[in-house]
Amino acid sequence: MPPWDTAAVRENAGHRPTPAQLADIRTEVGVYRRVLDGGGLVALGTDQPLVPVGLGLHLGLRALHRGGLSVSRTLRTATALPARVFGAERDLGTLEVGKLGDMTLVDGDPFEDFDSLVRTSAVLRGGRLFEQRELTGSFPAPATRSLRAAGTDWLEVGRQQRRESCCDLSH
């Protein structure tokens, strides 16, 4: 994660969720379960740069799984179902011959240990392997532990993330 996201995680990691927050999560996951059970689509995404891009997705996946969705059904909310939502299932969403296919490699088996999803060892993008040390080394160490600098232009932060992405193969 980039330094600003790392700072946000460090700052918030020491706070346990309140009973009210946990109840809100149960309610929200219950809605998603009913949508899926009724044949609807649920597609996890991100509000980047407002929410750390990888962290937001992982928290959503954990909430769905801990809320009772199977591992397979949970993972589909970040893969096959978003492809269907956007009408791109012919090219995206599953790993099949003839489709575009980027992959995240994890150290472990999420069907045995769901938390292994956060142990990313590498990413395969555009046919190129990016190992974890290369991914994390793309961002300099944070100069400060503060969550956000006053007056930060979050649109520019988003542009910076796109420009300086370790995996952007366009330049």
Side-chain angles (χ1 to χ4, degrees):
M1 290 188 300
W4 49 87
D5 287 347
T6 303
V9 170
R10 283 192 178 119
E11 186 170 306
N12 292 312
H15 306 286
R16 298 185 74 73
T18 66
Q21 289 169 326
L22 292 172
D24 288 345
I25 291 171
R26 281 191 299 277
T27 299
E28 188 172 340
V29 171
V31 169
Y32 297 147
R33 285 185 80 161
R34 288 192 299 279
V35 168
L36 290 166
D37 290 345
L41 302 174
V42 172
L44 289 185
T46 178
D47 289 329
Q48 183 272 341
L50 302 175
V51 175
V53 67
L55 181 63
L57 180 63
H58 281 282
L59 291 174
L61 289 168
R62 278 185 188 207
L64 289 174
H65 180 60
R66 290 185 179 162
L69 266 61
S70 69
V71 173
S72 177
R73 202 170 195 194
T74 298
L75 292 175
R76 289 177 52 79
T77 67
T79 57
L81 296 180
R84 284 184 55 202
V85 165
F86 292 106
E89 66 270 22
R90 190 181 71 178
D91 297 316
L92 301 172
T94 58
L95 292 174
E96 299 177 53
V97 173
K99 285 190 169 186
L100 301 172
D102 296 338
M103 292 189 320
T104 300
L105 305 171
V106 298
D107 182 16
D109 179 354
F111 290 90
E112 296 293 325
D113 173 15
F114 195 78
D115 290 342
S116 69
L117 286 176
V118 299
R119 295 192 301 268
T120 301
S121 59
V123 173
L124 184 64
R125 177 151 189 237
R128 181 171 169 211
L129 183 69
F130 296 89
E131 294 189 23
Q132 190 220 35
R133 67 180 173 278
E134 183 179 0
L135 296 170
T136 57
S138 297
F139 296 97
T144 178
R145 298 190 96 189
S146 72
L147 177 58
R148 293 182 174 92
T152 298
D153 177 354
W154 291 105
L155 290 176
E156 180 53 33
V157 168
R159 288 189 286 273
Q160 177 184 353
Q161 285 183 321
R162 287 189 300 280
R163 278 194 316 269
E164 297 179 3
S165 169
C166 65
C167 305
D168 184 359
L169 302 174
S170 65
H171 50 84

